Amino acid sequence: LYKVTSIPSLVFIDAATGKVVCRNGLLVVKDDPKGLEFPWGPKPFAEVVAGPLLRNNRQTTDSSALEGSYVGVYFSAHWCPPCRSLTRVLVESYRKVKESGHKFEIVFVSADRSEESFTQYFSEMPWLAVPYTDEARRSRLNRLYGIQGIPTLILLDTEGHMITRQGRVEILNDPDCLLFPWHPRPVLELSESNAVQLHEGPCLVLFVDAEEEGELEPAKELIQPIAEKIMAKYKAKEEETPLLFFVAGEDDMSDSLRDYTNLPEAAPLLTILDMSARAKYVKDVEEITPAVVEQFVNDFLAEKLKPEPI
């Protein structure tokens, strides 16, 4: 329910509504031991990031300069090899987005272990950074977005509202930045770069017999209406979508997922996989229609389905 990926983990909720107040309670306890900021609810990005920001020439810019821009909040560190690899790609993406005329800025929030390491790493970046010495502000940004691992790239719209937590996946999947600012798509084609999202929470995966690019489109069109309906419903409630939607063809990634979850080789095959709970739900029908998909999803959300172990 709370997408816990490691322990210890401390989640604060509003008991009256059941809504999550803060996912990263351990940082709250560390940063505010006297409870002066209680009840630790989310604050606007502009308020949390407020203050001077650095450029790698040591000049400073006030955070108010971000107003009206799309913003990437980049949690990264030099000691982390995947971070360094992503940074190289991100530099090119940043340049392409800026050259296309979009107002776009990135703010680096360091998880480096020393100021020297931060300075060396930041010298490779053409964007802004929270000063390494401002540990409190770096920690508050980690708390704001419940960061549990790096690299993480959070993308915000011009009002400071989150577009996606999956900036890393979007950057790698769209090197030419044609889909900027990378609003979430209702249905994704399963790939090596986005498979990490299978661990974000429950995912509906429709396996189909498709080997060539373009053959997955009918499958996407089949489940897109219910995916859009679910996204709109939970966006209106200002809640995270409880289910991600994928289509998977015949390739090594799909074969690995079938093997790992012990799924039959049948196609089409409609499933919901919940990796964190190590549970799967399989719909065994001769024909998969939009009505079948919608009923399957509704039954899952109403907790009417019996899970099988992964």
PDB file of all heavy atoms in Angstrom, residues 248-276:
ATOM      1  N   ALA A 248       2.976  -5.899 -23.613  1.00  0.00           N
ATOM      2  CA  ALA A 248       4.251  -6.597 -23.805  1.00  0.00           C
ATOM      3  C   ALA A 248       4.140  -7.521 -25.002  1.00  0.00           C
ATOM      4  O   ALA A 248       3.163  -8.270 -25.128  1.00  0.00           O
ATOM      5  CB  ALA A 248       4.614  -7.388 -22.548  1.00  0.00           C
ATOM      6  N   GLY A 249       5.141  -7.470 -25.880  1.00  0.00           N
ATOM      7  CA  GLY A 249       5.151  -8.323 -27.060  1.00  0.00           C
ATOM      8  C   GLY A 249       5.991  -9.569 -26.838  1.00  0.00           C
ATOM      9  O   GLY A 249       6.179 -10.029 -25.707  1.00  0.00           O
ATOM     10  N   GLU A 250       6.507 -10.095 -27.931  1.00  0.00           N
ATOM     11  CA  GLU A 250       7.353 -11.283 -27.864  1.00  0.00           C
ATOM     12  C   GLU A 250       8.810 -10.844 -27.980  1.00  0.00           C
ATOM     13  O   GLU A 250       9.326 -10.612 -29.070  1.00  0.00           O
ATOM     14  CB  GLU A 250       7.000 -12.241 -29.010  1.00  0.00           C
ATOM     15  CG  GLU A 250       5.602 -12.832 -28.927  1.00  0.00           C
ATOM     16  CD  GLU A 250       5.447 -13.794 -27.759  1.00  0.00           C
ATOM     17  OE1 GLU A 250       6.407 -14.510 -27.455  1.00  0.00           O
ATOM     18  OE2 GLU A 250       4.378 -13.802 -27.139  1.00  0.00           O
ATOM     19  N   ASP A 251       9.475 -10.679 -26.846  1.00  0.00           N
ATOM     20  CA  ASP A 251      10.883 -10.290 -26.857  1.00  0.00           C
ATOM     21  C   ASP A 251      11.547 -10.794 -25.575  1.00  0.00           C
ATOM     22  O   ASP A 251      10.900 -11.407 -24.719  1.00  0.00           O
ATOM     23  CB  ASP A 251      11.047  -8.765 -26.997  1.00  0.00           C
ATOM     24  CG  ASP A 251      10.284  -7.995 -25.924  1.00  0.00           C
ATOM     25  OD1 ASP A 251      10.089  -8.543 -24.819  1.00  0.00           O
ATOM     26  OD2 ASP A 251       9.897  -6.844 -26.189  1.00  0.00           O
ATOM     27  N   ASP A 252      12.832 -10.539 -25.448  1.00  0.00           N
ATOM     28  CA  ASP A 252      13.580 -11.052 -24.296  1.00  0.00           C
ATOM     29  C   ASP A 252      13.062 -10.491 -22.979  1.00  0.00           C
ATOM     30  O   ASP A 252      13.013 -11.200 -21.968  1.00  0.00           O
ATOM     31  CB  ASP A 252      15.074 -10.721 -24.448  1.00  0.00           C
ATOM     32  CG  ASP A 252      15.730 -11.495 -25.578  1.00  0.00           C
ATOM     33  OD1 ASP A 252      15.132 -12.504 -26.017  1.00  0.00           O
ATOM     34  OD2 ASP A 252      16.822 -11.094 -26.030  1.00  0.00           O
ATOM     35  N   MET A 253      12.671  -9.200 -22.987  1.00  0.00           N
ATOM     36  CA  MET A 253      12.175  -8.584 -21.755  1.00  0.00           C
ATOM     37  C   MET A 253      10.895  -9.268 -21.297  1.00  0.00           C
ATOM     38  O   MET A 253      10.726  -9.589 -20.113  1.00  0.00           O
ATOM     39  CB  MET A 253      11.923  -7.087 -22.013  1.00  0.00           C
ATOM     40  CG  MET A 253      11.497  -6.303 -20.788  1.00  0.00           C
ATOM     41  SD  MET A 253      12.803  -6.162 -19.565  1.00  0.00           S
ATOM     42  CE  MET A 253      12.078  -7.049 -18.210  1.00  0.00           C
ATOM     43  N   SER A 254       9.982  -9.505 -22.228  1.00  0.00           N
ATOM     44  CA  SER A 254       8.719 -10.160 -21.896  1.00  0.00           C
ATOM     45  C   SER A 254       8.950 -11.605 -21.439  1.00  0.00           C
ATOM     46  O   SER A 254       8.322 -12.071 -20.484  1.00  0.00           O
ATOM     47  CB  SER A 254       7.775 -10.152 -23.103  1.00  0.00           C
ATOM     48  OG  SER A 254       7.457  -8.827 -23.468  1.00  0.00           O
ATOM     49  N   ASP A 255       9.867 -12.278 -22.125  1.00  0.00           N
ATOM     50  CA  ASP A 255      10.175 -13.659 -21.738  1.00  0.00           C
ATOM     51  C   ASP A 255      10.746 -13.716 -20.321  1.00  0.00           C
ATOM     52  O   ASP A 255      10.384 -14.596 -19.531  1.00  0.00           O
ATOM     53  CB  ASP A 255      11.180 -14.269 -22.724  1.00  0.00           C
ATOM     54  CG  ASP A 255      10.578 -14.514 -24.097  1.00  0.00           C
ATOM     55  OD1 ASP A 255       9.332 -14.508 -24.198  1.00  0.00           O
ATOM     56  OD2 ASP A 255      11.351 -14.702 -25.059  1.00  0.00           O
ATOM     57  N   SER A 256      11.629 -12.764 -19.999  1.00  0.00           N
ATOM     58  CA  SER A 256      12.215 -12.724 -18.653  1.00  0.00           C
ATOM     59  C   SER A 256      11.145 -12.478 -17.605  1.00  0.00           C
ATOM     60  O   SER A 256      11.166 -13.098 -16.527  1.00  0.00           O
ATOM     61  CB  SER A 256      13.283 -11.630 -18.579  1.00  0.00           C
ATOM     62  OG  SER A 256      14.349 -11.913 -19.444  1.00  0.00           O
ATOM     63  N   LEU A 257      10.198 -11.580 -17.919  1.00  0.00           N
ATOM     64  CA  LEU A 257       9.132 -11.273 -16.961  1.00  0.00           C
ATOM     65  C   LEU A 257       8.223 -12.479 -16.762  1.00  0.00           C
ATOM     66  O   LEU A 257       7.834 -12.802 -15.632  1.00  0.00           O
ATOM     67  CB  LEU A 257       8.328 -10.066 -17.451  1.00  0.00           C
ATOM     68  CG  LEU A 257       7.194  -9.612 -16.531  1.00  0.00           C
ATOM     69  CD1 LEU A 257       7.712  -9.256 -15.148  1.00  0.00           C
ATOM     70  CD2 LEU A 257       6.467  -8.415 -17.147  1.00  0.00           C
ATOM     71  N   ARG A 258       7.913 -13.169 -17.846  1.00  0.00           N
ATOM     72  CA  ARG A 258       7.083 -14.386 -17.730  1.00  0.00           C
ATOM     73  C   ARG A 258       7.793 -15.432 -16.865  1.00  0.00           C
ATOM     74  O   ARG A 258       7.173 -16.062 -16.003  1.00  0.00           O
ATOM     75  CB  ARG A 258       6.798 -14.972 -19.110  1.00  0.00           C
ATOM     76  CG  ARG A 258       5.726 -14.255 -19.935  1.00  0.00           C
ATOM     77  CD  ARG A 258       5.534 -15.019 -21.233  1.00  0.00           C
ATOM     78  NE  ARG A 258       4.702 -14.377 -22.207  1.00  0.00           N
ATOM     79  CZ  ARG A 258       3.392 -14.626 -22.376  1.00  0.00           C
ATOM     80  NH1 ARG A 258       2.784 -15.487 -21.586  1.00  0.00           N
ATOM     81  NH2 ARG A 258       2.717 -14.012 -23.328  1.00  0.00           N
ATOM     82  N   ASP A 259       9.086 -15.605 -17.120  1.00  0.00           N
ATOM     83  CA  ASP A 259       9.843 -16.598 -16.355  1.00  0.00           C
ATOM     84  C   ASP A 259       9.891 -16.240 -14.879  1.00  0.00           C
ATOM     85  O   ASP A 259       9.684 -17.090 -14.006  1.00  0.00           O
ATOM     86  CB  ASP A 259      11.272 -16.711 -16.904  1.00  0.00           C
ATOM     87  CG  ASP A 259      11.322 -17.358 -18.280  1.00  0.00           C
ATOM     88  OD1 ASP A 259      10.314 -17.997 -18.662  1.00  0.00           O
ATOM     89  OD2 ASP A 259      12.350 -17.214 -18.972  1.00  0.00           O
ATOM     90  N   TYR A 260      10.155 -14.969 -14.601  1.00  0.00           N
ATOM     91  CA  TYR A 260      10.297 -14.522 -13.215  1.00  0.00           C
ATOM     92  C   TYR A 260       8.989 -14.671 -12.438  1.00  0.00           C
ATOM     93  O   TYR A 260       8.991 -15.022 -11.255  1.00  0.00           O
ATOM     94  CB  TYR A 260      10.764 -13.061 -13.188  1.00  0.00           C
ATOM     95  CG  TYR A 260      10.909 -12.499 -11.800  1.00  0.00           C
ATOM     96  CD1 TYR A 260      11.975 -12.872 -10.987  1.00  0.00           C
ATOM     97  CD2 TYR A 260       9.984 -11.592 -11.293  1.00  0.00           C
ATOM     98  CE1 TYR A 260      12.116 -12.359  -9.704  1.00  0.00           C
ATOM     99  CE2 TYR A 260      10.109 -11.076 -10.011  1.00  0.00           C
ATOM    100  CZ  TYR A 260      11.176 -11.465  -9.222  1.00  0.00           C
ATOM    101  OH  TYR A 260      11.301 -10.964  -7.951  1.00  0.00           O
ATOM    102  N   THR A 261       7.871 -14.401 -13.114  1.00  0.00           N
ATOM    103  CA  THR A 261       6.563 -14.446 -12.437  1.00  0.00           C
ATOM    104  C   THR A 261       5.834 -15.773 -12.664  1.00  0.00           C
ATOM    105  O   THR A 261       4.699 -15.941 -12.220  1.00  0.00           O
ATOM    106  CB  THR A 261       5.671 -13.284 -12.927  1.00  0.00           C
ATOM    107  OG1 THR A 261       5.572 -13.330 -14.361  1.00  0.00           O
ATOM    108  CG2 THR A 261       6.270 -11.944 -12.513  1.00  0.00           C
ATOM    109  N   ASN A 262       6.512 -16.691 -13.380  1.00  0.00           N
ATOM    110  CA  ASN A 262       5.945 -18.017 -13.628  1.00  0.00           C
ATOM    111  C   ASN A 262       4.581 -17.947 -14.305  1.00  0.00           C
ATOM    112  O   ASN A 262       3.607 -18.575 -13.882  1.00  0.00           O
ATOM    113  CB  ASN A 262       5.838 -18.807 -12.309  1.00  0.00           C
ATOM    114  CG  ASN A 262       5.642 -20.299 -12.548  1.00  0.00           C
ATOM    115  OD1 ASN A 262       6.054 -20.823 -13.584  1.00  0.00           O
ATOM    116  ND2 ASN A 262       5.001 -20.970 -11.610  1.00  0.00           N
ATOM    117  N   LEU A 263       4.529 -17.188 -15.392  1.00  0.00           N
ATOM    118  CA  LEU A 263       3.294 -17.046 -16.163  1.00  0.00           C
ATOM    119  C   LEU A 263       3.302 -18.023 -17.338  1.00  0.00           C
ATOM    120  O   LEU A 263       4.364 -18.354 -17.869  1.00  0.00           O
ATOM    121  CB  LEU A 263       3.158 -15.620 -16.705  1.00  0.00           C
ATOM    122  CG  LEU A 263       2.829 -14.533 -15.684  1.00  0.00           C
ATOM    123  CD1 LEU A 263       2.970 -13.151 -16.325  1.00  0.00           C
ATOM    124  CD2 LEU A 263       1.412 -14.716 -15.129  1.00  0.00           C
ATOM    125  N   PRO A 264       2.139 -18.465 -17.770  1.00  0.00           N
ATOM    126  CA  PRO A 264       2.076 -19.366 -18.935  1.00  0.00           C
ATOM    127  C   PRO A 264       2.472 -18.631 -20.210  1.00  0.00           C
ATOM    128  O   PRO A 264       2.498 -17.401 -20.263  1.00  0.00           O
ATOM    129  CB  PRO A 264       0.605 -19.784 -18.966  1.00  0.00           C
ATOM    130  CG  PRO A 264      -0.133 -18.708 -18.235  1.00  0.00           C
ATOM    131  CD  PRO A 264       0.801 -18.218 -17.177  1.00  0.00           C
ATOM    132  N   GLU A 265       2.757 -19.393 -21.258  1.00  0.00           N
ATOM    133  CA  GLU A 265       3.200 -18.814 -22.529  1.00  0.00           C
ATOM    134  C   GLU A 265       2.046 -18.306 -23.385  1.00  0.00           C
ATOM    135  O   GLU A 265       2.269 -17.820 -24.483  1.00  0.00           O
ATOM    136  CB  GLU A 265       3.990 -19.861 -23.323  1.00  0.00           C
ATOM    137  CG  GLU A 265       5.324 -20.230 -22.700  1.00  0.00           C
ATOM    138  CD  GLU A 265       6.276 -19.048 -22.660  1.00  0.00           C
ATOM    139  OE1 GLU A 265       6.267 -18.248 -23.616  1.00  0.00           O
ATOM    140  OE2 GLU A 265       7.027 -18.928 -21.676  1.00  0.00           O
ATOM    141  N   ALA A 266       0.836 -18.395 -22.899  1.00  0.00           N
ATOM    142  CA  ALA A 266      -0.335 -18.013 -23.699  1.00  0.00           C
ATOM    143  C   ALA A 266      -0.273 -16.548 -24.124  1.00  0.00           C
ATOM    144  O   ALA A 266       0.285 -15.707 -23.431  1.00  0.00           O
ATOM    145  CB  ALA A 266      -1.610 -18.264 -22.886  1.00  0.00           C
ATOM    146  N   ALA A 267      -0.866 -16.264 -25.279  1.00  0.00           N
ATOM    147  CA  ALA A 267      -1.011 -14.892 -25.750  1.00  0.00           C
ATOM    148  C   ALA A 267      -2.288 -14.817 -26.597  1.00  0.00           C
ATOM    149  O   ALA A 267      -2.501 -15.686 -27.439  1.00  0.00           O
ATOM    150  CB  ALA A 267       0.194 -14.470 -26.578  1.00  0.00           C
ATOM    151  N   PRO A 268      -3.152 -13.827 -26.366  1.00  0.00           N
ATOM    152  CA  PRO A 268      -2.991 -12.778 -25.364  1.00  0.00           C
ATOM    153  C   PRO A 268      -3.212 -13.298 -23.935  1.00  0.00           C
ATOM    154  O   PRO A 268      -3.945 -14.268 -23.731  1.00  0.00           O
ATOM    155  CB  PRO A 268      -4.076 -11.766 -25.750  1.00  0.00           C
ATOM    156  CG  PRO A 268      -5.132 -12.588 -26.410  1.00  0.00           C
ATOM    157  CD  PRO A 268      -4.408 -13.674 -27.140  1.00  0.00           C
ATOM    158  N   LEU A 269      -2.559 -12.620 -22.984  1.00  0.00           N
ATOM    159  CA  LEU A 269      -2.674 -12.983 -21.573  1.00  0.00           C
ATOM    160  C   LEU A 269      -2.793 -11.700 -20.761  1.00  0.00           C
ATOM    161  O   LEU A 269      -1.934 -10.823 -20.847  1.00  0.00           O
ATOM    162  CB  LEU A 269      -1.435 -13.777 -21.130  1.00  0.00           C
ATOM    163  CG  LEU A 269      -1.432 -14.272 -19.686  1.00  0.00           C
ATOM    164  CD1 LEU A 269      -2.488 -15.360 -19.480  1.00  0.00           C
ATOM    165  CD2 LEU A 269      -0.047 -14.801 -19.305  1.00  0.00           C
ATOM    166  N   LEU A 270      -3.865 -11.597 -19.987  1.00  0.00           N
ATOM    167  CA  LEU A 270      -4.128 -10.396 -19.193  1.00  0.00           C
ATOM    168  C   LEU A 270      -3.749 -10.656 -17.738  1.00  0.00           C
ATOM    169  O   LEU A 270      -4.253 -11.595 -17.115  1.00  0.00           O
ATOM    170  CB  LEU A 270      -5.606 -10.007 -19.306  1.00  0.00           C
ATOM    171  CG  LEU A 270      -6.036  -8.713 -18.608  1.00  0.00           C
ATOM    172  CD1 LEU A 270      -5.312  -7.504 -19.204  1.00  0.00           C
ATOM    173  CD2 LEU A 270      -7.547  -8.527 -18.731  1.00  0.00           C
ATOM    174  N   THR A 271      -2.855  -9.826 -17.203  1.00  0.00           N
ATOM    175  CA  THR A 271      -2.365 -10.044 -15.842  1.00  0.00           C
ATOM    176  C   THR A 271      -2.290  -8.722 -15.084  1.00  0.00           C
ATOM    177  O   THR A 271      -2.202  -7.637 -15.682  1.00  0.00           O
ATOM    178  CB  THR A 271      -0.952 -10.649 -15.852  1.00  0.00           C
ATOM    179  OG1 THR A 271      -0.031  -9.682 -16.372  1.00  0.00           O
ATOM    180  CG2 THR A 271      -0.886 -11.902 -16.688  1.00  0.00           C
ATOM    181  N   ILE A 272      -2.288  -8.824 -13.766  1.00  0.00           N
ATOM    182  CA  ILE A 272      -1.879  -7.723 -12.897  1.00  0.00           C
ATOM    183  C   ILE A 272      -0.769  -8.274 -12.011  1.00  0.00           C
ATOM    184  O   ILE A 272      -0.934  -9.307 -11.363  1.00  0.00           O
ATOM    185  CB  ILE A 272      -3.045  -7.179 -12.050  1.00  0.00           C
ATOM    186  CG1 ILE A 272      -4.060  -6.461 -12.942  1.00  0.00           C
ATOM    187  CG2 ILE A 272      -2.524  -6.220 -10.965  1.00  0.00           C
ATOM    188  CD1 ILE A 272      -5.307  -5.985 -12.219  1.00  0.00           C
ATOM    189  N   LEU A 273       0.377  -7.594 -12.031  1.00  0.00           N
ATOM    190  CA  LEU A 273       1.544  -8.037 -11.274  1.00  0.00           C
ATOM    191  C   LEU A 273       1.846  -7.015 -10.180  1.00  0.00           C
ATOM    192  O   LEU A 273       1.931  -5.814 -10.454  1.00  0.00           O
ATOM    193  CB  LEU A 273       2.751  -8.178 -12.191  1.00  0.00           C
ATOM    194  CG  LEU A 273       2.566  -9.076 -13.428  1.00  0.00           C
ATOM    195  CD1 LEU A 273       3.811  -9.038 -14.307  1.00  0.00           C
ATOM    196  CD2 LEU A 273       2.245 -10.509 -13.003  1.00  0.00           C
ATOM    197  N   ASP A 274       1.994  -7.506  -8.953  1.00  0.00           N
ATOM    198  CA  ASP A 274       2.339  -6.649  -7.826  1.00  0.00           C
ATOM    199  C   ASP A 274       3.643  -7.185  -7.235  1.00  0.00           C
ATOM    200  O   ASP A 274       3.647  -8.074  -6.384  1.00  0.00           O
ATOM    201  CB  ASP A 274       1.215  -6.651  -6.781  1.00  0.00           C
ATOM    202  CG  ASP A 274       1.440  -5.640  -5.677  1.00  0.00           C
ATOM    203  OD1 ASP A 274       2.569  -5.136  -5.558  1.00  0.00           O
ATOM    204  OD2 ASP A 274       0.493  -5.346  -4.925  1.00  0.00           O
ATOM    205  N   MET A 275       4.753  -6.640  -7.734  1.00  0.00           N
ATOM    206  CA  MET A 275       6.066  -7.174  -7.377  1.00  0.00           C
ATOM    207  C   MET A 275       6.360  -7.032  -5.885  1.00  0.00           C
ATOM    208  O   MET A 275       6.917  -7.939  -5.265  1.00  0.00           O
ATOM    209  CB  MET A 275       7.159  -6.477  -8.183  1.00  0.00           C
ATOM    210  CG  MET A 275       7.042  -6.701  -9.675  1.00  0.00           C
ATOM    211  SD  MET A 275       7.186  -8.449 -10.122  1.00  0.00           S
ATOM    212  CE  MET A 275       7.510  -8.291 -11.875  1.00  0.00           C
ATOM    213  N   SER A 276       5.996  -5.881  -5.300  1.00  0.00           N
ATOM    214  CA  SER A 276       6.334  -5.661  -3.896  1.00  0.00           C
ATOM    215  C   SER A 276       5.587  -6.621  -2.988  1.00  0.00           C
ATOM    216  O   SER A 276       6.098  -7.041  -1.945  1.00  0.00           O
ATOM    217  CB  SER A 276       6.022  -4.215  -3.493  1.00  0.00           C
ATOM    218  OG  SER A 276       4.646  -3.926  -3.654  1.00  0.00           O
TER     219      SER A 276
END
